[in-house]
């Protein structure tokens, strides 16, 4: 026993987070609960979720926060409000949301602990399109910039930063993909030469991926990209001579991160561990049918989560939808599932460590304890 390498024993004590190969599924909300519409949910690192829903069998639609089994209606299209946008959620459970009203026009607000705060109004920027919120409660939005053209800005409660004003020397955004913890944003733009993804922070704007005549990619998803809290960007693209797939820009280099299994380019979610969850679509030419799957790339390994045609909660799945903020750093995935009965449900998938690897972990820990105790008792040096 004493000749066993301590380094070998320590190597057995790896993180339980790496063991996840199967998932536990929980139904959060369903059309069977009286809701006539549900949207793709987003999830933060605390397991809280935000999504849109229509309730009480009416056309009235709202934004909801689900946190610790409590459901809160943040805003709905009642009274002077005639349209609500999409909600974004940070790790402080602050919800950023937008709506249109007859009184104030297009408005961006935040909600935290029962308090609503106005961040941007249509009187300042028109029309402000919300793109995300970080843990510093800074939001990003696209709008017509004063003294400029269509551009992007960030704002907290006290300061506004113009990322790009869309003038001749600055790119005009086509789509926006979120904001990192330090206020860096990612967006796409179209030029006569092709498509480009940019990151910007108010000090500089840098291209990170380009398609077309001068680009390294022959095709680039204008909406299939997302930035995480650390500033890494995942996006869909295709290289000449290769199948299309998902790529990661980590701040300095770009490399492929997902297998070539027919990803749906605009349904990608990136967590702070640089793992991705995404939808894939497969066509069966014999049956002339499509199959959709939720897959993940975790620690460099592909993991199948769920697919249409499979059974969940005793029903056959007919559809799956995934948002760009649906995968947290604990491996939890939130998604919208449709069933053969016509029911739709917001579902949370949580990873379950494999029992065999838990046993391996505990065995390694026990061996480590025995060796350390033996060294202490016998004063043996290794």
């Amino acid at each position: 026993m004493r000749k066993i390498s301590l380094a070998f024993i320590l190597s057995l004590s790896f993180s339980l987070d790496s063991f996840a190969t199967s998932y536990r599924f929980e139904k959060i909300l369903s059309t069977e609960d009286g809701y006539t519409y549900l949207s793709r949910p987003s999830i933060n690192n605390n397991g809280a979720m935000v999504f849109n829903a229509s309730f009480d069998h009416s056309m009235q639609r709202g934004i909801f926060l689900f946190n610790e089994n409590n459901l809160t209606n943040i805003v709905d299209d009642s009274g002077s409000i005639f349209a609500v946008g999409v909600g974004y959620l940070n790790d402080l459970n602050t919800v950023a949301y937008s709506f249109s009203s007859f009184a104030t026009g297009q408005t961006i607000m935040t909600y935290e602990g029962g308090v609503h705060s106005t961040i941007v109004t249509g009187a300042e920027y028109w029309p402000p399109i919300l793109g995300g919120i970080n843990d510093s409660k800074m939001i990003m939005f696209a709008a017509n910039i004063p003294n400029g053209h269509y551009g992007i800005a960030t704002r907290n409660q006290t300061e506004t930063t113009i990322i790009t004003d869309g003038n001749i020397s600055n790119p005009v955004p086509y789509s926006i993909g979120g904001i990192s913890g330090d206020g860096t944003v990612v967006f796409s733009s179209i030029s006569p030469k092709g498509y480009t993804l940019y990151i910007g922070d108010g000090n500089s704007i840098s291209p990170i991926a380009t398609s077309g005549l001068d680009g390294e990619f022959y095709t680039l998803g204008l909406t299939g990209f997302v930035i995480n809290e650390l500033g890494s960007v995942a996006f869909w693209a295709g290289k000449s001579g290769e199948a299309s797939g998902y790529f990661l820009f980590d701040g300095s280099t770009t490399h492929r991160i997902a297998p070539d299994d027919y990803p749906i380019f605009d349904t990608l979610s990136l967590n702070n561990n640089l793992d991705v969850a995404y939808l894939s679509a497969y066509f069966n030419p014999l049956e002339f049918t499509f199959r959709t799957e939720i897959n993940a790339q975790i620690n460099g390994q592909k993991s199948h989560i769920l697919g249409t045609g499979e059974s969940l909660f005793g029903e056959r799945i007919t559809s799956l939808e995934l948002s760009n903020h649906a995968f947290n750093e604990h491996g939890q995935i939130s998604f919208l599932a449709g069933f053969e009965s016509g029911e739709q449900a917001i579902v949370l998938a949580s990873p379950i460590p494999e029992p065999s690897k838990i046993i391996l972990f505990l065995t390694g820990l026990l061996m480590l304890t025995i060796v350390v105790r033996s060294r202490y008792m016998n004063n043996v040096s290794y």
Side-chain angles (χ1 to χ4, degrees), residues 280-292 308-309 316 318:
S280 299
Y282 303 91
F283 176 66
N284 185 332
L286 298 178
E287 300 179 0
F288 206 74
T289 57
F290 282 95
R291 169 180 168 81
T292 304
T308 54
R316 182 176 175 271
T318 57

Side-chain angles (χ1 to χ4, degrees), residues 135-256:
D135 289 347
S136 299
K137 303 179 186 179
M138 179 184 292
I139 63 104
M140 75 162 296
F141 63 96
N144 289 307
I145 305 297
N147 301 319
H149 299 282
Y150 191 69
I152 296 173
T154 61
R155 173 176 285 187
N156 54 27
Q157 292 288 352
T158 60
E159 184 179 358
T160 299
T161 300
I162 304 299
I163 305 298
T164 176
D165 59 11
N167 282 323
I168 295 176
S169 60
N170 292 320
V172 177
Y174 177 86
S175 182
I176 50 181
I179 182 171
S180 72
D182 66 359
T184 300
V185 306
V186 60
F187 64 96
S188 63
S189 183
I190 303 176
S191 72
K193 292 185 177 181
Y195 304 153
T196 303
L197 285 185
Y198 293 93
I199 56 172
D201 58 7
N203 295 314
S204 63
I205 299 173
S206 303
I208 61 172
T210 303
S211 69
L213 297 176
D214 301 328
E216 61 176 314
F217 300 98
Y218 70 85
T219 185
L220 190 64
L222 285 173
T223 58
F225 57 90
V226 65
I227 192 169
N228 67 8
E229 189 73 13
L230 305 179
S232 297
V233 178
F235 59 94
W236 176 89
K239 278 191 172 182
S240 180
E242 301 179 15
S244 61
Y246 291 121
F247 293 79
L248 177 74
F249 173 76
D250 61 10
S252 58
T253 62
T254 299
H255 59 275
R256 184 185 292 269

Side-chain angles (χ1 to χ4, degrees), residues 23 25 280 282 290-295 303-320 335 337-340:
Y23 284 79
F25 298 96
S280 299
Y282 303 91
F290 282 95
R291 169 180 168 81
T292 304
E293 292 183 359
I294 297 177
N295 295 310
S303 179
H304 171 73
I305 311 303
L306 204 63
T308 54
E310 299 177 26
S311 180
L312 181 64
F313 309 128
E315 289 197 67
R316 182 176 175 271
I317 302 169
T318 57
S319 65
L320 291 167
F335 60 92
F339 299 94
E340 202 166 33

Side-chain angles (χ1 to χ4, degrees), residues 25-30 32-33 66 312-313 315 339 343-348:
F25 298 96
E26 179 184 358
K27 188 185 294 186
I28 302 301
L29 201 66
S30 165
E32 298 294 308
D33 301 322
F66 179 83
L312 181 64
F313 309 128
E315 289 197 67
F339 299 94
E343 177 189 4
Q344 284 192 315
I346 289 175
V347 181
L348 175 64

Side-chain angles (χ1 to χ4, degrees), residues 22-218:
S22 58
Y23 284 79
R24 180 182 70 253
F25 298 96
E26 179 184 358
K27 188 185 294 186
I28 302 301
L29 201 66
S30 165
T31 51
E32 298 294 308
D33 301 322
Y35 295 84
T36 55
Y37 165 82
L38 295 171
S39 74
R40 301 178 296 177
S42 296
I43 189 170
N44 68 9
N45 289 320
N46 301 318
M49 283 183 272
V50 65
F51 50 85
N52 291 60
S54 294
F55 44 94
D56 297 332
H57 295 283
S58 70
M59 295 301 294
Q60 189 172 320
R61 183 171 298 188
I63 298 175
F64 291 80
L65 171 67
F66 179 83
N67 182 37
E68 298 181 345
N69 292 320
N70 294 315
L71 187 65
T72 303
N73 181 204
I74 305 298
V75 64
D76 58 61
D77 53 5
S78 61
S80 65
I81 296 175
F82 59 85
V84 295
V86 176
Y88 292 87
L89 183 64
N90 66 14
D91 285 342
L92 303 175
N93 295 340
T94 308
V95 178
Y97 64 94
S98 63
F99 63 86
S100 297
S101 76
F102 297 108
T104 61
Q106 186 86 353
T107 303
I108 294 175
M109 300 188 71
T110 58
Y111 170 90
E112 184 177 12
V115 178
H116 297 262
S117 302
T118 300
I119 307 299
V120 181
T121 67
E124 302 172 276
Y125 299 91
W126 180 259
I129 308 299
L130 180 62
I133 183 172
N134 65 15
D135 289 347
S136 299
K137 303 179 186 179
M138 179 184 292
I139 63 104
M140 75 162 296
F141 63 96
N144 289 307
I145 305 297
N147 301 319
H149 299 282
Y150 191 69
I152 296 173
T154 61
R155 173 176 285 187
N156 54 27
Q157 292 288 352
T158 60
E159 184 179 358
T160 299
T161 300
I162 304 299
I163 305 298
T164 176
D165 59 11
N167 282 323
I168 295 176
S169 60
N170 292 320
V172 177
Y174 177 86
S175 182
I176 50 181
I179 182 171
S180 72
D182 66 359
T184 300
V185 306
V186 60
F187 64 96
S188 63
S189 183
I190 303 176
S191 72
K193 292 185 177 181
Y195 304 153
T196 303
L197 285 185
Y198 293 93
I199 56 172
D201 58 7
N203 295 314
S204 63
I205 299 173
S206 303
I208 61 172
T210 303
S211 69
L213 297 176
D214 301 328
E216 61 176 314
F217 300 98
Y218 70 85

